[in-house]
Amino acid sequence: MAAENTSDSAKAEDDAGKRAAFTVEVKGPDKVREYLAQNLEIQRYSRIPDLGTTELSRLMVAAEANARELLATLGYFTPTLTLELNETPTSDKAPRAVVVTVEPGATTQVTSAQILFNGPIESDPGAAAQREAIRKGWSLPPGQPFTQQGWDNAKTAGLRNLTAKRYATASVVTSRADVDADRHEAQLGITYQSGPAYRFGPLKISESKRYNPDAMRRVARVPTGEDYDQQKLLDAQQRMASSGYFDSVFLTLDTAADDPQTAPVLAQVREAPLQKVVAGVGFTTDSGARLSLDHTHNQVPLLGWRAVSKLSIDNDTRSLGTELNSIPDDNGWRWVNSALVKRENAGTYDVDSGRLRSGRSKSEDHIDRSYYLQYDYAKNRGTDAPQSAAAVSGNWAWTARYFDNNATPSRGYGIALELGAGYTLIGERLPFTRTFVRGLGFIPLGDVTSSDGSQARNSRIQLRGDLGAVVAKDAAQIPSTLMFLTGGDTTVRGYGYQKIGSELTDGSIVAGRYLGVLSAEWQRPFVWKGKLTEWESAVFVDAGAVGNTPSELKTKVGVGVGARWRSPFGPVQADIAYGEATRKFRLHLRLGFTF
């Protein structure tokens, strides 16, 4: 018993030692209460032991001045403050409480904002639009509440807009905010010094030992001779980074150059390994678990081209392919040659296929183009399906992406078009044409905001559609890999991957010559406890049909609900869909966004 009493006594003393010397409570409107509660300096002293009343009274005097400074940053220059010290001997938290009562008063409003420019930008007629854009884009115009954060942000944004084009070394010469506390007015003024106007000069690459500098110039495509534009510099940096030749790339404009009109672009790079092998595992609800092995050779002997080969195995597909890419020419076009062999489950049949392709492609900021010759071979393993087919064709492809974010889009649109014409090579040699169109677009429905209005993200309707047609005589034996199947995570949910096709008399599913898919999805950001989260809800309806003639198209519909998570690794999509034709529910999971 004596031991227990000793233990209880020690515990009581320990608990008493954990009590704060005082607590701080702020009373007032929500917009200032939380801000003061988080930033008042007096709270740093609450854990000091043996803090006497005299010391605490001195801290409270300093706390009033501190509170007025904090409120001034929010635009409240004439607040009414009351500080009280209350004894709370029965409280578990602290024996005393400092209570700060705030009446912030009227908000100070911006009454004028004068934005001036010094330097070459003053007399340059070509800079008039840039000056006007900075003035129109000023984020703290007359009529807006004045806050220190808003003032700092406005100055920074104006300077950022100035240095983004032509004037890379611009700076702030003077800035002032004259506040009349009695009248609750603020007059703002700022002067920017532009510095010289710059133009892009030659690209200079450091630490690159393997690649020809002229070849890397064609990869980067820096617009030499044009006015400096920060976005164009970032685009060139992205082209080099995504080329696969480098592990890291950083481009800067050499503003210390003698002639600003030919300022070199300096590239700091770290070359990627000459060869690289990457093993991967994955999972999709379409095809189950997946194993992959990728091999990259960045400079194939003799050719000097880049080769990427991939082996992939999942429940439905086994494929082995390689693609060789040349360095682009001065116009951005590159040669592309590829080969692929595959065995996959398509419809209710297994298909062995092969493909050879040779052509040229070009990728720009928003548009990708390619044209190529292609040989296709496919053999269906099934008694009622055509056993084998082969074809040669000429093709043209064009894709445009105008999304606000290519990884997690919420606005914009994308369009893809493929056109091809060729001849079949097995059986009677007959001509055919192939057309495929894909589209995706977002219609904003208004912003969803957090309860305090500090965050907002738009809800939207996502519209998606696919149309395809292979036109040829009925006798033409066209490889099934050139025809169409649909169904799965990215097409018609509620159905298995490629399980919607042309139905034979025995109920079997094969690829068809005509395709139509339409989808509408309502996406809405999710708010939890007043805070906007990285989650979104979705409600959708998908419809698709495949047939060998337009009259054979029988629409299959899927409806469902889902969740979207804007994860650090990319968008994660989870859907539960009901297939109207199968009368079954199906789970669909997907990571990432591609178009």
Side-chain angles (χ1 to χ4, degrees):
M1 292 295 294
E4 290 179 3
N5 289 337
T6 301
S7 176
D8 291 344
S9 176
K11 183 177 183 301
E13 291 178 3
D14 185 59
D15 289 343
K18 291 181 180 179
R19 295 176 73 196
F22 60 90
T23 59
V24 177
E25 179 185 0
V26 180
K27 296 181 179 180
D30 292 343
K31 53 189 174 184
V32 299
R33 185 180 65 248
E34 293 183 5
Y35 181 71
L36 290 181
Q38 293 173 2
N39 294 284
L40 280 171
E41 293 183 1
I42 191 174
Q43 297 193 85
R44 297 190 308 171
Y45 303 94
S46 63
R47 290 286 175 179
I48 296 179
D50 303 325
L51 188 66
T53 303
T54 302
E55 290 82 0
L56 184 53
S57 298
R58 189 180 302 113
L59 289 174
M60 290 176 64
V61 173
E64 181 177 356
N66 178 220
R68 292 186 182 277
E69 292 176 359
L70 293 172
L71 290 169
T73 65
L74 299 178
Y76 300 103
F77 291 91
T78 56
T80 301
L81 294 172
T82 303
L83 280 75
E84 298 175 304
L85 178 60
N86 298 328
E87 299 292 333
T88 56
T90 59
S91 172
D92 294 334
K93 297 180 180 179
R96 288 167 291 186
V98 175
V99 180
V100 182
T101 304
V102 182
E103 294 180 10
T107 305
T108 297
Q109 302 288 320
V110 176
T111 56
S112 66
Q114 187 179 43
I115 303 168
L116 302 176
F117 299 91
N118 284 342
I121 193 174
E122 279 187 290
S123 56
D124 187 349
Q130 188 174 2
R131 295 194 304 267
E132 187 63 21
I134 293 172
R135 289 189 173 110
K136 284 186 175 180
W138 182 254
S139 60
L140 203 60
Q144 290 291 315
F146 174 84
T147 67
Q148 186 62 46
Q149 185 66 47
W151 172 225
D152 292 340
N153 290 345
K155 292 186 291 184
T156 302
L159 182 61
R160 187 183 301 117
N161 291 336
L162 182 55
T163 57
K165 293 184 179 181
R166 305 186 72 182
Y167 304 100
T169 57
S171 61
V172 176
V173 179
T174 61
S175 66
R176 71 180 190 283
D178 295 330
V179 176
D180 187 330
D182 293 333
R183 301 177 63 179
H184 309 294
E185 295 178 352
Q187 296 179 337
L188 310 181
I190 188 169
T191 302
Y192 293 107
Q193 172 63 253
S194 69
Y198 287 86
R199 291 181 181 269
F200 287 116
L203 177 68
K204 295 184 177 181
I205 304 177
S206 63
E207 304 300 326
S208 180
K209 302 176 182 178
R210 185 183 304 142
Y211 306 113
N212 182 291
D214 187 62
M216 294 303 101
R217 175 189 63 80
R218 299 198 301 271
V219 170
R221 302 205 307 275
V222 173
T224 303
E226 293 186 13
D227 288 334
Y228 167 75
D229 187 315
Q230 188 179 66
Q231 186 57 53
K232 292 180 180 179
L233 187 67
L234 292 175
D235 291 341
Q237 177 175 292
Q238 179 59 35
R239 283 191 286 269
M240 292 187 70
S242 61
S243 68
Y245 295 111
F246 305 102
D247 281 339
S248 67
V249 179
F250 182 63
L251 299 188
T252 56
L253 188 72
D254 184 6
T255 55
D258 294 334
D259 184 5
Q261 295 297 294
T262 58
V265 175
L266 306 180
Q268 295 177 303
V269 301
R270 186 174 73 248
E271 291 179 346
L274 181 62
Q275 297 190 64
K276 180 171 62 175
V277 177
V278 177
V281 296
F283 175 85
T284 68
T285 47
D286 276 344
S287 303
R290 181 181 68 252
L291 300 175
S292 63
L293 188 67
D294 293 39
H295 174 261
T296 301
H297 197 306
N298 277 323
Q299 201 169 45
V300 176
L302 301 180
L303 281 176
W305 291 11
R306 185 170 187 265
V308 179
S309 304
K310 183 172 184 177
L311 170 67
S312 179
I313 300 173
D314 60 37
N315 289 349
D316 296 325
T317 305
R318 291 161 178 79
S319 66
L320 175 63
T322 187
E323 182 174 282
L324 290 92
N325 294 272
S326 72
I327 298 292
D329 61 20
D330 285 327
N331 295 318
W333 288 95
R334 69 173 73 222
W335 286 101
V336 181
N337 296 308
S338 65
L340 175 69
V341 292
K342 181 189 294 187
R343 170 174 286 183
E344 64 180 329
N345 180 265
T348 53
Y349 293 91
D350 288 334
V351 178
D352 294 336
S353 64
R355 186 189 72 199
L356 296 174
R357 177 183 291 182
S358 180
R360 307 192 78 192
S361 69
K362 180 179 182 179
S363 295
E364 297 179 294
D365 295 339
H366 296 286
I367 297 176
D368 297 340
R369 299 179 177 88
S370 63
Y371 58 88
Y372 51 89
L373 288 174
Q374 183 166 297
Y375 167 79
D376 289 275
Y377 171 82
K379 181 177 182 179
N380 291 3
R381 295 179 175 272
T383 57
D384 295 329
Q387 290 302 296
S388 60
V392 62
S393 60
N395 299 269
W396 175 83
W398 180 88
T399 301
R401 300 177 184 87
Y402 289 91
F403 298 113
D404 59 342
N405 185 313
N406 285 331
T408 56
S410 60
R411 294 178 183 271
Y413 64 92
I415 301 173
L417 175 63
E418 298 175 14
L419 300 175
Y423 272 86
T424 60
L425 301 177
I426 293 179
E428 186 180 358
R429 296 192 176 185
L430 295 170
F432 70 91
T433 62
R434 183 180 186 275
T435 304
F436 177 72
V437 181
R438 181 173 74 252
L440 175 69
F442 296 92
I443 301 175
L445 295 182
D447 287 343
V448 176
T449 61
S450 57
S451 58
D452 60 2
S454 61
Q455 295 176 303
R457 197 162 68 245
N458 70 302
S459 64
R460 67 206 77 93
I461 295 290
Q462 174 188 283
L463 299 177
R464 172 171 49 84
D466 298 341
L467 293 173
V470 176
V471 179
K473 289 184 177 180
D474 292 343
Q477 292 182 224
I478 298 171
S480 61
T481 50
L482 289 177
M483 297 193 290
F484 306 103
L485 290 163
T486 192
D489 298 346
T490 61
T491 54
V492 183
R493 288 160 288 188
Y495 302 84
Y497 178 60
Q498 294 192 340
K499 296 303 182 184
I500 300 176
S502 178
E503 296 186 20
L504 302 181
T505 55
D506 63 354
S508 301
I509 302 297
V510 296
R513 296 186 178 187
Y514 293 89
L515 164 74
V517 174
L518 290 174
S519 172
E521 179 173 300
W522 177 34
Q523 301 170 349
R524 189 179 191 280
F526 188 69
V527 177
W528 175 253
K529 294 184 178 179
K531 300 292 185 180
L532 194 64
T533 70
E534 296 300 321
W535 289 85
E536 295 186 345
S537 60
V539 179
F540 58 86
V541 55
D542 300 338
V546 175
N548 270 325
T549 64
S551 62
E552 292 179 6
L553 294 172
K554 296 180 180 179
T555 303
K556 304 292 177 64
V557 178
V559 296
V561 297
R564 309 286 179 265
W565 176 38
R566 296 156 61 97
S567 79
F569 314 103
V572 177
Q573 173 179 309
D575 295 316
I576 297 177
Y578 176 77
E580 170 267 339
T582 61
R583 297 184 179 180
K584 292 181 179 179
F585 287 94
R586 190 176 183 91
L587 175 66
H588 296 272
L589 299 174
R590 182 186 177 199
L591 173 63
F593 170 84
T594 56
F595 179 84

